[in-house]
Amino acid sequence: MQETEKIWMNGELVDWADARVHVASHGLHYGTGVFEGIRCYETERGPAVFRLAEHLKRLETSAKLLYMELPYSLEELRAACHETILSNELSECYLRPIAYYGYGELGVHTGANPVDVAVICFPWGAYLGEGSQSKGITAAISTWRRVGPNTIPHAAKATGVYLNSMLATHEARRAGYDESIMLTEDGHVADGPGETIFLVKDGTIYTPDLSASILPGITRDSVIQIAQDRGYTVVEKPLIRTDLYTADEVFFTGTAVEVTPVRSIDDHEIGVGSVTLELQSAYADAVRGRDERWPHWLDYATATRAGA
């Protein structure tokens, strides 16, 4: 992880090394936090945050699902993201806004514990390694099932939910694969530990619907819109693992991975297909301001101070 100069924390910029959390913070013990992963891209007009408004709205929704009241408005959080990018003089970076129950009582109930908020930003390249977006990655079906919708609210991007993802990722890496694919308890395809999944069959694009306990992905939504704009039919429906094995193409989407081909699953070779690469290229054009059809997705960083 490449350290930067400043982190926005509870309304002010602090030095990277001074952004500290008390060891008795509620969120550290019980996973009571919510976060977003957002990318800022270099464009001809300067740094542009991709779909910032949608990400911050999802952060707010995630907080509500945890009975958490954010102490800052969405506009204040937007300004905080801009301020953090500009203070670190980054033209391109990954943003991680996070809100969590802080230090107070240590019982399971959050009680009157404060909600602390921070925004981190730092350079982050290809999430699954250099070459992953051109050569594709290998994946395996995990023995860990995606948590059900009545176990933890899957629509919340909550810190505690990612224990499920961490176990699946570790399992895949120990077995020699780049990433895992998780199924629901009833055996339908859900997603990756930090990605949504698509497959292509006979020219039609398929992806699990939201009933598969998946996060409502912002990159997922973007890719669906781009694909439909380019004339593809996109079908959201329950999928089973053999749908993946027999697909013409499979790819992951997400803020971190962007659009990454999955070239094999459980050692079934799939390869890297033309539809995946077309959507990958179109997505890159959209996030970097090179496609005039999607200008509303870009929020250009300005020097507005949070709370001003």
Side-chain angles (χ1 to χ4, degrees), residues 111 137 176 196 202 221 292 308:
I137 58 105
T196 50
D202 297 330
D221 175 70
E292 61 184 16

Side-chain angles (χ1 to χ4, degrees), residues 157-307:
K157 195 172 177 69
T159 57
V161 175
Y162 279 75
L163 175 59
N164 189 211
S165 296
M166 182 275 287
L167 290 169
T169 299
H170 273 252
E171 180 182 48
R173 298 286 177 86
R174 287 197 306 270
Y177 297 94
D178 297 315
E179 190 59 291
S180 68
I181 296 170
M182 305 178 74
L183 306 180
T184 63
E185 196 58 45
D186 62 1
H188 289 101
V189 176
D191 53 11
E195 309 92 355
T196 50
I197 192 167
F198 290 79
L199 67 84
V200 182
K201 185 69 175 180
D202 297 330
T204 298
I205 300 170
Y206 298 89
T207 190
D209 58 35
L210 296 181
S211 67
S213 292
I214 64 174
L215 186 74
I218 291 168
T219 310
R220 173 184 183 271
D221 175 70
S222 303
V223 169
I224 288 173
Q225 290 190 54
I226 290 170
Q228 291 172 334
D229 182 73
R230 299 177 83 85
Y232 290 102
T233 298
V234 181
V235 179
E236 300 177 63
K237 59 170 285 188
L239 301 170
I240 58 176
R241 65 195 300 168
T242 53
D243 291 326
L244 298 176
Y245 297 156
T246 60
D248 298 325
E249 305 177 33
V250 177
F251 59 91
F252 278 140
T253 65
T255 294
V257 299
E258 299 172 304
V259 179
T260 296
V262 180
R263 70 172 187 267
S264 74
I265 301 172
D266 289 344
D267 301 318
H268 291 277
E269 291 298 324
I270 299 167
V272 178
S274 60
V275 176
T276 300
L277 294 179
E278 178 188 349
L279 295 177
Q280 183 188 84
S281 177
Y283 180 79
D285 286 341
V287 301
R288 296 185 183 280
R290 298 191 295 255
D291 190 331
E292 61 184 16
R293 286 169 291 190
W294 316 107
H296 54 288
W297 284 349
L298 301 180
D299 188 337
Y300 293 91
T302 61
T304 302
R305 183 172 176 79

Side-chain angles (χ1 to χ4, degrees), residues 13-249:
L13 291 169
V14 301
D15 290 342
W16 182 281
D18 293 333
R20 299 189 178 106
V21 176
H22 197 283
V23 71
S25 292
H26 196 278
L28 177 62
H29 289 259
Y30 303 115
T32 49
V34 296
F35 70 97
E36 282 295 316
I38 311 170
R39 281 194 185 269
C40 173
Y41 292 91
E42 183 175 7
T43 76
E44 291 182 352
R45 291 178 52 190
V49 188
F50 186 65
R51 300 193 72 173
L52 179 58
E54 291 89 342
H55 277 288
L56 294 179
K57 183 62 179 177
R58 189 173 66 180
L59 182 75
E60 181 183 58
T61 299
S62 297
K64 287 180 179 178
L65 289 170
L66 269 62
Y67 303 99
M68 174 189 290
E69 185 174 344
L70 295 176
Y72 300 95
S73 68
L74 295 187
E75 186 55 38
E76 287 172 327
L77 292 173
R78 173 178 176 265
C81 291
H82 287 196
E83 188 178 0
T84 310
I85 293 166
L86 295 172
S87 68
N88 288 296
E89 299 181 348
L90 295 171
S91 59
E92 187 154 327
C93 63
Y94 178 88
L95 278 165
R96 172 59 61 88
I98 184 168
Y100 56 93
Y101 284 105
Y103 173 73
E105 299 297 327
L106 203 54
V108 173
H109 193 279
T110 56
N113 290 30
V115 174
D116 292 324
V117 182
V119 179
I120 311 163
C121 72
F122 56 93
W124 200 359
Y127 176 70
L128 293 173
E130 294 302 321
S132 59
Q133 293 190 354
S134 58
K135 298 178 182 177
I137 58 105
T138 61
I141 303 295
S142 179
T143 62
W144 294 101
R145 294 294 182 253
R146 176 55 80 196
V147 292
N150 292 314
T151 303
I152 296 176
H154 66 84
K157 195 172 177 69
T159 57
V161 175
Y162 279 75
L163 175 59
N164 189 211
S165 296
M166 182 275 287
L167 290 169
T169 299
H170 273 252
E171 180 182 48
R173 298 286 177 86
R174 287 197 306 270
Y177 297 94
D178 297 315
E179 190 59 291
S180 68
I181 296 170
M182 305 178 74
L183 306 180
T184 63
E185 196 58 45
D186 62 1
H188 289 101
V189 176
D191 53 11
E195 309 92 355
T196 50
I197 192 167
F198 290 79
L199 67 84
V200 182
K201 185 69 175 180
D202 297 330
T204 298
I205 300 170
Y206 298 89
T207 190
D209 58 35
L210 296 181
S211 67
S213 292
I214 64 174
L215 186 74
I218 291 168
T219 310
R220 173 184 183 271
D221 175 70
S222 303
V223 169
I224 288 173
Q225 290 190 54
I226 290 170
Q228 291 172 334
D229 182 73
R230 299 177 83 85
Y232 290 102
T233 298
V234 181
V235 179
E236 300 177 63
K237 59 170 285 188
L239 301 170
I240 58 176
R241 65 195 300 168
T242 53
D243 291 326
L244 298 176
Y245 297 156
T246 60
D248 298 325
E249 305 177 33

